[in-house]
Structures are given as C-alpha cells and as structure tokens.
Amino acid sequence: MRAYLTELIRGALNGVKPDSPPEGLDWNELYNLADYHGVAGTVYYGIEKLYEAEQPPSEVFDRFRKASYISLGRESMQFIELNNVFSAFDENNIKYILLKGLKMKNLYPRPDMRSMCDGDILVLPEDMDRIQEVMKECGFVIECKGNVHDTYMKNNNLSVEIHKQLFSDNSPYFDYFKSFFDRGKAVFGKCEYELSKEDFYIHMIAHMAKHFKKGGTGVRSFMDVYEYYEKYGSNLNEDYLNDELEKLGLKGFAQASKELAYSWFGENSRAKNGSKVAHPKMAIHVLMAGTYGCIGNVVATGIVEKNIGRGEYVRRRLFPGVEFMKINYPILDKVPVLLPICWIIRVIKVFCFGNKRLLSEAKSVGRFGEANKEWLDEVWRDSGF
C-alpha cells in the first residue's frame, strides 16, 4: 500500500497514468495514509488518470476529490491573503525572502498539489516590531512570539511564520545560516529578495534534515526534492552545492534524499519497474512519519542523539532550559529567577490539564528499547548521515 501511494504521486507529478493498483488494495487505508502525509489532494490527480475500472469505490473516490477541492480552496485563499502581506511589506519598505512552500508550490504542475500549513518569510531582525503593526493592518493577530520566528494567524485558518533567523541558537546549522539574508538578491521593483537556486536548495535540505533527525519528515519533502531537481537540476552548480552541504555535514543526506525521490517519482524509477526502492530503511522511516514526523521518532532521536537514558529524557522534557521556557513564559526574559516557578506551572499543566504531546512522549519513552536504537542507527546510516 505504501508503495502504491508513491506510485499515484508519481502519476500526478509527471502527468502520466500510474501503474494499475495491486490486487486487494485497501483504498480506505490508502486514503488514511495519504491524508497522514498531507498529500490526499495530490493523490487525487493521480487517481484521475487511472482507468475507471481501476479507480477506488465511489465513496473513497469522493474523499480524495474532497481533499483536492479543500487544497484548491486553501491555495486560493493563501494566494490572495499572502499577496496582500507581500504588498504591505513592499509599501512599508520591509525587506523579505520567501521560503519553502511559498516558492516550491510554483514548481508543481498545479500549486494546490503542494499543500502548506503556513507561509514562511525571512526578514531582518530589526523589522520584527514594525512587522507586527503591518500584519495587524492586514488582519492578522500574533499568536506566538518565538526566538526563531513569530507566528501570525488570520481567521483561525491562515498561519504565517515571520522568521528573524532560520534555526534556533542551539542548532548545529545556526552559525551557517545566521547571516543567510545577506545572500539574497533584490527583486526589481519590490522589497523582496531572492536566494540563488543553490542557496534555496541548501536551506531546503537543512530544514528537511532537521525534521528528519528529530521526528521524521514525510513524503512531501521528497516531492519537493524531485520537483526542484526537475525544474533546476541541469543548471545547479553542483560543486558549490556539494561544498556547502559538506560544511553542514549534509552532503550524504542530500544525495540519499535525491536518490530516494527519483526512485519514487522519476519516470524511470526503480520502484516503478519492480526493483528495490533506493535507501529502503530511509523510505520506511519517511512513510511511517507522516507530514511532520511522529512522537515516537522524536523520543527515539532525543535519547539516541544525546546518548541519555529514558529517565534523563523525561527530566529534560519536564524541566527544559530557560531559553526553551521563554517561548511560553516570556516573563523569564525579564525575570529569569522565576524559572523554578514556571517549571512547577509546566508540570501542573502536563499532569492536571493533559498536555497531549508530552503525555504521548511519556508513553513512547516507556516503549523505547535497544531495538529502537539499533533501527534508528540503521536508518541514519541509510540516509547518508
């Protein structure tokens, strides 16, 4: 079933008929998997290209079609609202760089094939306060102020993340990307700046790697890799890419990601022709992760990468450092000595009001064993780390 998900996506991305579905395929389960990865709307365009007799039963077909309509409606709404934001930034002389999905969606056969939960925009740190006023004028309210980005919402269904930096201070990628805005080139007649095709891809891979090693990343990230290389691959400076990715320790991961993406979606893909998919352990990890990864992977990575025990993991999650705590307790910016009191409030919220994420992590910690560690080590090796 997982293999047929990527086959339907291959058909959608390349505008070709997918291979016939395997005998006994559970279409309801396939829909759930596609929805789990946030690609049900994209898969619909692949299903459309099947012979009518090969398509799913009408009730499942309608679920895929509805997902496609929702993606199309969301894309239309995002296009209008976000262009209003870009225009407001231009009018107020606020320099900005569009990241990730805001650029990637234009490389797909249809922009609604590349769904996105929020829009990511990089700005200069000194403009953050001014941007808050501009976003308010555009109808957005600030939902969360963070060390990396501020999150704005409009009508509870449109989220925009305004980044003053690309990675947190404790990220292994922070130093490399801390002055990344300086690499942007001005777009004529606007305050928008654009990264070179190589630098955009380097950030895309680093962001993907962050999620992959933390909780996992879904099939959509590999769709991005495929579409980017299909559009720009022949013109990319591979020597520059390899040198820069080497500095980040991501050259192997980038190569494995590209090979897996083409194994799944390329017109002459090995997966399509019945041969073994490239990087099979990496592929399983991706297909099990969903759009933004899963809690089990977060826990396993946290224990393995930091080389700590299960008890220490729980302690660090219940009583994190002051920089993390400042996100939800901004008073710590001014009065850091209140950290112990904020810890107590955090623990009360977890156990009395049911912080679902942390409780889910606790269950995953209880299930973690040596086999999980060995599997994760194998996945990382297969993924080029």
Side-chain angles (χ1 to χ4, degrees):
M1 179 183 66
R2 290 171 182 158
Y4 199 60
L5 172 70
T6 59
E7 172 61 15
L8 288 169
I9 294 171
R10 184 190 69 83
L13 296 182
N14 294 293
V16 298
K17 179 189 176 299
D19 289 346
S20 301
E23 188 175 347
L25 177 68
D26 187 328
W27 281 101
N28 278 302
E29 283 299 310
L30 183 65
Y31 175 84
N32 292 337
L33 181 62
D35 185 55
Y36 181 52
H37 281 268
V39 296
T42 305
V43 169
Y44 171 73
Y45 293 113
I47 290 174
E48 269 194 322
K49 298 186 180 303
L50 292 171
Y51 298 131
E52 187 173 348
E54 297 176 330
Q55 292 177 349
S58 58
E59 64 273 14
V60 185
F61 185 88
D62 288 343
R63 293 176 74 190
F64 279 107
R65 180 164 52 190
K66 181 179 179 181
S68 174
Y69 290 166
I70 290 172
S71 295
L72 183 59
R74 184 185 297 118
E75 157 59 24
S76 300
M77 179 267 293
Q78 289 173 338
F79 178 83
I80 294 169
E81 295 291 351
L82 290 171
N83 273 285
N84 288 339
V85 170
F86 306 151
S87 296
F89 280 15
D90 291 335
E91 291 167 9
N92 287 275
N93 198 31
I94 294 172
K95 298 175 181 178
Y96 60 97
I97 292 176
L98 305 184
L99 303 169
K100 296 157 44 181
L102 287 175
K103 286 290 190 180
M104 281 304 308
K105 66 178 183 175
N106 297 315
L107 305 187
Y108 281 68
R110 302 172 52 112
D112 58 292
M113 282 186 177
R114 207 295 186 180
S115 63
M116 58 181 191
C117 182
D118 47 48
D120 294 88
I121 305 172
L122 178 65
V123 300
L124 297 172
E126 58 265 29
D127 286 332
M128 292 295 281
D129 289 339
R130 209 154 53 94
I131 286 170
Q132 189 168 344
E133 291 302 314
V134 173
M135 294 297 284
K136 184 178 179 180
E137 291 172 4
C138 291
F140 288 81
V141 295
I142 190 161
E143 187 178 61
C144 177
K145 274 181 164 286
N147 294 328
V148 174
H149 60 76
D150 293 346
T151 302
Y152 291 86
M153 288 290 295
K154 184 171 185 179
N155 300 328
N156 293 319
N157 61 8
L158 176 58
S159 174
V160 177
E161 292 183 354
I162 305 294
H163 291 255
K164 57 186 173 185
Q165 59 192 63
L166 292 173
F167 293 91
S168 61
D169 295 0
N170 61 356
S171 167
Y173 310 134
F174 172 75
D175 286 338
Y176 181 89
F177 286 100
K178 64 183 178 182
S179 302
F180 216 55
F181 199 106
D182 296 341
R183 299 191 187 187
K185 303 297 182 185
V187 176
F188 180 76
K190 303 177 73 174
C191 287
E192 181 185 355
Y193 282 63
E194 281 189 330
L195 297 170
S196 71
K197 298 298 183 287
E198 291 81 6
D199 285 333
F200 184 93
Y201 188 70
I202 289 166
H203 171 252
M204 188 169 84
I205 289 294
H207 181 80
M208 184 176 165
K210 179 192 77 170
H211 283 290
F212 187 89
K213 288 205 76 175
K214 188 175 182 182
T217 189
V219 69
R220 191 177 67 190
S221 296
F222 294 81
M223 293 162 56
D224 282 353
V225 169
Y226 176 73
E227 288 296 316
Y228 203 83
Y229 255 87
E230 284 294 287
K231 179 70 173 180
Y232 300 123
S234 60
N235 296 316
L236 291 175
N237 184 335
E238 293 286 350
D239 290 337
Y240 174 80
L241 270 182
N242 288 331
D243 288 346
E244 298 303 298
L245 289 166
E246 187 72 55
K247 294 176 186 177
L248 290 161
L250 294 175
K251 181 180 175 182
F253 175 72
Q255 184 62 30
S257 298
K258 179 185 172 185
E259 289 169 357
L260 179 54
Y262 271 83
S263 176
W264 275 337
F265 310 127
E267 270 302 270
N268 297 312
S269 67
R270 281 177 280 174
K272 175 182 180 294
N273 294 321
S275 301
K276 191 176 181 180
V277 68
H279 304 282
K281 291 183 174 66
M282 184 185 195
I284 292 171
H285 189 70
V286 170
L287 289 169
M288 291 177 64
T291 313
Y292 301 110
C294 62
I295 296 298
N297 288 343
V298 171
V299 170
T301 301
I303 293 174
V304 172
E305 199 167 39
K306 296 179 177 65
N307 194 26
I308 57 177
R310 291 185 293 182
E312 176 63 12
Y313 178 87
V314 172
R315 187 195 69 77
R316 293 187 186 188
R317 291 297 289 128
L318 287 176
F319 306 105
V322 66
E323 291 304 318
F324 181 89
M325 290 290 288
K326 284 178 182 179
I327 297 172
N328 290 316
Y329 302 92
I331 192 174
L332 293 173
D333 273 319
K334 296 179 179 179
V335 196
V337 294
L338 292 178
L339 178 61
I341 295 174
C342 294
W343 277 339
I344 293 170
I345 295 171
R346 176 177 171 84
V347 171
I348 290 171
K349 284 183 176 180
V350 170
F351 291 104
C352 296
F353 299 99
N355 183 311
K356 292 182 180 179
R357 179 183 174 88
L358 282 177
L359 290 175
S360 179
E361 282 189 47
K363 292 178 183 177
S364 295
V365 168
R367 292 192 295 264
F368 182 84
E370 189 61 28
N372 302 86
K373 180 181 183 303
E374 291 174 1
W375 166 251
L376 201 55
D377 285 340
E378 292 176 9
V379 167
W380 287 351
R381 281 195 297 272
D382 191 36
S383 306
F385 285 109

